[in-house]
Amino acid sequence: MPAYHSIFLQDTDVRLIANFPLLPLRTRTRGPAYTLPSPTPPIPPHESPDPDSESYDALDEILSLYRANTFFRNFEIKGPADRLLIYGILCVGELLGKVPKVGGGREGEKALMNAALDQFAIPGDAAFPLNQAFEAPRDRQDAETLRQYISQVRQELAIRLVARLYAGNSGTPSKWWLSFTKRKFMGKAL
């Protein structure tokens, strides 16, 4: 059975930096991404809109495919949107590793936001784990725009992951998400 690929592969009018797409996001976090509208009617923060909705973005797809795709050690890249999917899955794996096992949702939110804001490598940096699949940005301005976009993606993923981890206001993180903390997608980690 092959891994699940991005539904945004058919989007051809997406801005690329090197071969990393800058897809639109449904976010309130500042950054270079085009902002998608909020879904109508409003949905709970721990749910994603319907994939056919104009509010469905790549981050919803990353969170919905994370658990299924972590079982795969190989992933065939079919287009730029798959590169964002790979990066997002690796980022979610990193964020799940930072979730405190004890403490309430507030401590978890703080830990995930701090992890999302930590220094991170971008394609082309020596510390980036997937340089063989990603191209380096052309110049310094492209590198800075890519860093801002990836920072925006990481922050929004952390916000949405907290909503899913602590759904129902139980104060303890969901065991259905934490059971995937030890799994490494493609055998890699950020």
Side-chain angles (χ1 to χ4, degrees), residues 43-70:
I43 58 171
H46 64 277
E47 293 180 11
S48 293
D50 184 50
D52 296 330
S53 167
E54 69 175 7
S55 299
Y56 189 78
D57 66 358
L59 303 183
D60 292 320
E61 180 181 48
I62 288 166
L63 290 170
S64 66
L65 295 179
Y66 171 76
R67 293 183 280 185
N69 275 355
T70 53

Side-chain angles (χ1 to χ4, degrees), residues 12-174:
T12 56
D13 58 343
V14 174
R15 180 175 174 211
L16 296 175
I17 293 183
N19 57 3
F20 198 92
L22 273 62
L23 291 169
L25 304 174
R26 189 183 73 250
T27 181
R28 285 176 278 150
T29 307
R30 289 176 39 122
Y34 172 75
T35 305
L36 292 174
S38 295
T40 48
I43 58 171
H46 64 277
E47 293 180 11
S48 293
D50 184 50
D52 296 330
S53 167
E54 69 175 7
S55 299
Y56 189 78
D57 66 358
L59 303 183
D60 292 320
E61 180 181 48
I62 288 166
L63 290 170
S64 66
L65 295 179
Y66 171 76
R67 293 183 280 185
N69 275 355
T70 53
F71 290 107
F72 293 99
R73 296 196 52 76
N74 298 321
F75 189 86
E76 178 188 358
I77 298 173
K78 294 186 176 182
D82 276 346
R83 287 183 176 84
L84 179 59
L85 181 66
I86 290 170
Y87 185 85
I89 289 173
L90 292 175
C91 182
V92 169
E94 177 191 15
L95 292 173
L96 282 175
K98 307 283 185 182
V99 174
K101 304 296 185 249
V102 292
R106 191 74 186 135
E107 288 85 15
E109 181 180 4
K110 217 182 287 186
L112 287 179
M113 285 309 293
N114 286 339
L117 293 170
D118 280 348
Q119 284 293 105
F120 57 90
I122 63 170
D125 290 349
F128 191 71
L130 291 167
N131 274 331
Q132 70 274 12
F134 290 80
E135 295 175 7
R138 262 185 327 211
D139 54 25
R140 189 180 247 158
Q141 183 180 4
D142 279 355
E144 187 57 35
T145 303
L146 182 60
R147 185 173 302 280
Q148 290 172 355
Y149 180 77
I150 291 176
S151 177
Q152 187 178 14
V153 165
R154 291 170 62 94
Q155 290 174 46
E156 188 63 30
L157 272 175
I159 291 167
R160 294 186 195 182
L161 189 58
V162 165
R164 283 169 172 75
L165 278 171
Y166 296 98
N169 297 327
S170 64
T172 58
S174 167

